[in-house]
Amino acid sequence: MKKLFSLALTLILVLSCLFSLTACAGKSGTITIAVPNDTTNEARALLLLEDLGYIKLKDGAGITATILDIAENPHNIDFKEVEAAQLPNVLPDVDYAIINSNYAIEAKLNPVKDALALEGSSSAYGNILAVKEGNESSDLIKALTAALESQAVADFIASEYDGAVVSVVDAPTDGYDASVDYAALAGQTVTVAASPTPHAEILAVVKEILAAKDITLDIKEFTDYVQPNNVVESGEIDANYFQHVPYLDDFNKENGTHIVSVAAIHVEPIGLYGGKQTSLDALGK
């Protein structure tokens, strides 16, 4: 009888320990969040999580912060650094992923409706038209800039993306620059490197504006964040439209390139999306 009682007590203790371990793991050790692995977008992801109260970064950590700059991680989040374009693909395998809106839209995710949390529309992350230093004042680039800053583009962004992409142009133009001799540009081609969504889609509107002045816009689509700057630096392509200034500044510093911003056109808030989780409940507070 004593032996049976002892075995029963041991079994109860073992089950109790197992339950305790499971409960603890569920609360603190199993949440995985995938974040972009490029410097500035990883920082944006971490700053979003800090704003939500899930982590705390070291004092002074800013737009170049990485997971090494996390000072407090009370939820024991396991971070996975992933190439930005691949984040939608890994979403089913992690609890959450923080995804740039352009890649979210390509993956048929609606940032406004599907994101569990969304970064504010800060103009600091406005996506820019960029060229190699020295080319920013050419008539061809000025014509391209005016078309991108047009009311037609602003209207397209507002109607097409429903808040997932937001124009940051303060005073939209009619599409043309009065200082440019458009007759002298007739028959010329300007090439722009862009990501497919939303940049190439926006440039399709610009293409029509320039075509009215007999200027051809040749849109070259890229799916990464490196080659668009390389081809502008080399002179193979005239301009690119895919990045924000903090990313460009970091790229120039790391690669010795000489690319400059011409104009900020729109902002794409970065968002926190559920993978295995469908709400923020697993993170608690």
Side-chain angles (χ1 to χ4, degrees):
M1 190 72 177
K2 280 185 178 181
K3 193 176 287 186
L4 286 173
F5 178 77
S6 178
L7 285 171
L9 183 60
T10 301
L11 182 60
I12 290 170
L13 289 171
V14 168
L15 289 172
S16 176
C17 288
L18 286 172
F19 177 80
S20 178
L21 287 170
T22 302
C24 289
K27 287 181 179 177
S28 61
T30 60
I31 300 301
T32 302
I33 300 181
V35 297
N37 67 358
D38 60 279
T39 305
T40 52
N41 285 309
E42 180 168 1
R44 288 174 73 185
L46 297 177
L47 289 166
L48 174 59
L49 290 173
E50 184 175 53
D51 287 343
L52 294 169
Y54 298 134
I55 62 170
K56 183 173 176 55
L57 296 171
K58 296 175 183 176
D59 290 342
I63 197 56
T64 59
T66 71
I67 58 174
L68 298 177
D69 293 299
I70 297 174
E72 298 177 21
N73 183 9
H75 302 278
N76 292 327
I77 297 167
D78 178 21
F79 288 95
K80 303 294 183 186
E81 296 168 296
V82 177
E83 199 273 320
Q86 297 303 315
L87 285 163
N89 295 332
V90 305
L91 184 58
D93 302 318
V94 295
D95 291 294
Y96 304 97
I98 298 182
I99 307 174
N100 294 79
S101 282
N102 59 315
Y103 293 126
I105 294 168
E106 284 179 31
K108 309 302 181 188
L109 294 169
N110 184 314
V112 175
K113 297 177 182 178
D114 297 328
L116 300 176
L118 203 60
E119 173 188 65
S121 299
S122 171
S123 58
Y125 302 120
N127 280 215
I128 58 171
L129 177 68
V131 300
K132 189 168 184 178
E133 188 175 11
N135 295 334
E136 58 268 38
S137 297
S138 74
D139 271 3
L140 201 56
I141 296 303
K142 287 166 69 176
L144 174 63
T145 303
L148 259 176
E149 291 183 324
S150 68
Q151 187 64 56
V153 165
D155 290 344
F156 174 81
I157 289 172
S159 63
E160 182 71 14
Y161 302 109
D162 193 27
V165 178
V166 181
S167 173
V168 295
V169 176
D170 291 331
T173 71
D174 63 356
Y176 304 105
D177 185 327
S179 71
V180 171
D181 182 357
Y182 283 91
L185 296 178
Q188 294 191 36
T189 297
V190 59
T191 54
V192 181
S195 63
T197 302
H199 306 84
E201 296 167 351
I202 293 169
L203 286 169
V205 179
V206 172
K207 188 180 183 81
E208 294 181 5
I209 295 170
L210 294 177
K213 297 293 186 180
D214 197 23
I215 300 169
T216 299
L217 173 58
D218 186 7
I219 305 165
K220 304 290 188 182
E221 293 188 10
F222 290 81
T223 58
D224 71 287
Y225 284 168
V226 176
Q227 289 308 310
N229 278 333
N230 288 341
V231 293
V232 169
E233 177 70 16
S234 70
E236 180 183 343
I237 288 181
D238 297 310
N240 65 43
Y241 176 40
F242 78 99
Q243 66 194 319
H244 49 64
V245 168
Y247 179 87
L248 175 60
D249 288 345
D250 185 69
F251 189 95
N252 280 333
K253 180 180 177 181
E254 293 296 319
N255 296 279
T257 45
H258 308 84
I259 303 168
V260 297
S261 171
V262 177
I265 307 302
H266 74 266
V267 66
E268 303 165 13
I270 204 166
L272 174 64
Y273 296 83
K276 295 178 181 178
Q277 307 295 330
T278 58
S279 74
L280 295 175
D281 292 348
L283 284 166
K285 266 293 180 182

